[in-house]
Amino acid sequence: MNTPVWPLLLGRFEWRDLPFVRAIANPSASELVGAFAGGLVVVGAIVVALLLTRYGKWRYLWTEWLTSLDHKKIGIMYIALAFVMLSRALVEAVLMRGQQAVAINNPGFLTPDHFGELFSTHGSIMIFFMAMPFLTGLINFVMPLQIGARDMAFPWANSVALWLTAGGAALMMASLVVGQFSTGGWTGYPPFTELAFSPDVGPDYWIWAVSLGSIGSTMAGINIACTLYKQRAPGMAFMAMPLFCWTSLCTSILMIFAMPPLTVATALLALDRYLGFHMFTNDLGGNMMNYANLFWLFGHPEVYILILPAFGVYSEVVSTFSTKELYGYTSLVLATMVIAVLSFTVWVHHFFTMGQSANLNAVFGIATMTIGVPTGVKIYDWIWTMFRGEVRFTVPMLYALAFMMTFVLGGFTGILLAMPPLDYLVHNTLFLVAHFHNMLIPGLLYGMLAGYHYWFPKAFGFRLDEKWGRIAFTCWVVGFYLAFMPLYVLGASGMARRTHEIFDPAFRPWLYVAMAGAGVLFCALGSLFVQLVVSIRNRDALRVSAGDPWDGRTLEWSIASPPPEYNFAVVPNVDGRDIFYRRKHAEHQAPPYAEPYAYEDIVMPRNSASGVAIGVFAAVSAFGLIWHMWWLGVAGGVVVIAALVTRSFGRDQHRILLAADVAREDRRWRAALAEARAISRHTEMTTANQGLAER
């Protein structure tokens, strides 16, 4: 059992690398939890395959989704991936909170190594495979529609970026079934992740999963930036773009410059582990601080990669549901750009405890405090947008309001942590964990969920169920406060983070509250899935095919829901901000739904399987490298190169949609538009809403 099985073929694989074998040999609670998780992945994959076979949907899935280069479908697939990974990461969070709640002068039900795997996978998934796919998917779906574009600048590269990210996520899931994941945290700090301290496959899973995700995110950033620079509708100046587009642009620039340091760091760590280099080892010239600098050159801009798209969502939501033009547009744009620049000046605050000089700490402490100023500008602008507005408390607006209140509290603790002496005291305690989640959950997750609810009717043609949306919102907010506010108290009392067993009984009540909060958060996730099922079941009553269920302001609301693959029958001309809203409500404006004078043929990209092949076989190659199955690593790499070469020499990669077909589809929507009953803002949450706002 402790000997590799067929080393030439299966590398260093041993039977005990299967969680089911370990559970049979040692049926402890920890091993049974691991076996159950691995079994869930296997059974889930089998059930999905059987359902697709039973209903004959394999061809549909392949032709309509997996090989599609349509930015909208790619965006939806990104978000679906994010929800799958969120489900796993949230279960792991519940397990960690449960372990700490019962492990007071008691070993608990998880071994120390298993607990280390949980906090490593939880952090890695939430950052790289939940947050990044969610925001990238939302940008992919919304941004081209808002600027009047037909697609992203590079549709094929968009597919490759998606499937590289999915390949990294697949490696994360594979670690549940074969082998074990790293115990080195989401940062993967060496020398702990070097061979001398972690000779198992865990750090290799982390290295290759994160590498695939970071390369995919770099490609996505380039694509987003080029689309915003080059694909805007005629007349749309930069200062006429919606705020979500501005935050997308700044996010893409951060992706382009912040993701490569991470890729370099993981590549150098791989050289240490595979070829005996000494970049970050304890001896022979290695220097772990080089890794820390590379990682946090990515890591702190990453915080703003995560938060800026959410800021864009809140800007759209607050303006729409306050029935007012966004207050301080120019200041919001400037604040976004300032945040993007300053995000590269604060990375050293992540190692205030690592021994650099007081002068250096002071510089980065001041920079950390300074970056709070443009964030405060945004909060004030949103408040003034709501002031004397006709505020409608829809689910997206509720998330925006909860964000503003909760994020400000987290911001105060961020200012405290910007002071190096205080940070030195609490850096390795749960106080920092509470602060980090206080910023990212209301900042990123509430923002993504607000965007999910806001644009869902645009994507699928029907609204999400309002009642279950409010139930989920309540659970997220209540669960957040219960789960993380006690951690401030525990951290200030000295409880270290990543603690497997606790020896101070005074921590017990706070840990129980945190465990209850984690349970409520799990109910929040369950409520979202129930909401989706209920909404699909009642989709006819919730249908808003006219396309404008919220009395929207920007171009995406001026077309059908769901949009046609070419987005706009004729690319619109734009002469300012909120052009669609002005045409609906201002005098002396062109009609908001004016039929084009003439239709033209539209050139669209053909589907391509090469993006899927590159992502899948890059993951296969990485899996081979992880397990030292060198033949598999080489074979996967060869297929990736072959797919790239084949695509490069490919011909006939576009197809033409005839003007007559475009006109027929567009007029069909206009006929439905003419039959729809316009509704007031006060009835938009009822079944009377058919997607046509009252003018």
Side-chain angles (χ1 to χ4, degrees), residues 514-562:
M515 180 181 69
V520 176
L521 289 175
F522 186 73
C523 292
L525 180 67
S527 298
L528 284 178
F529 288 120
V530 171
Q531 179 197 31
L532 182 60
V533 171
V534 170
S535 302
I536 293 172
R537 187 183 64 197
N538 299 332
R539 60 188 178 275
D540 289 335
L542 297 170
R543 200 167 298 282
V544 289
S545 53
D548 183 26
W550 312 126
D551 193 15
R553 310 183 72 86
T554 43
L555 286 175
E556 74 269 29
W557 304 111
S558 67
I559 56 178
S561 293

Side-chain angles (χ1 to χ4, degrees), residues 454 457-458 463 544 547-551 557 561 679 684 689 691-692:
Y454 183 59
K458 178 53 58 180
R463 293 179 295 111
V544 289
D548 183 26
W550 312 126
D551 193 15
W557 304 111
S561 293
I679 53 101
E684 66 188 358
N689 189 348
L692 183 62

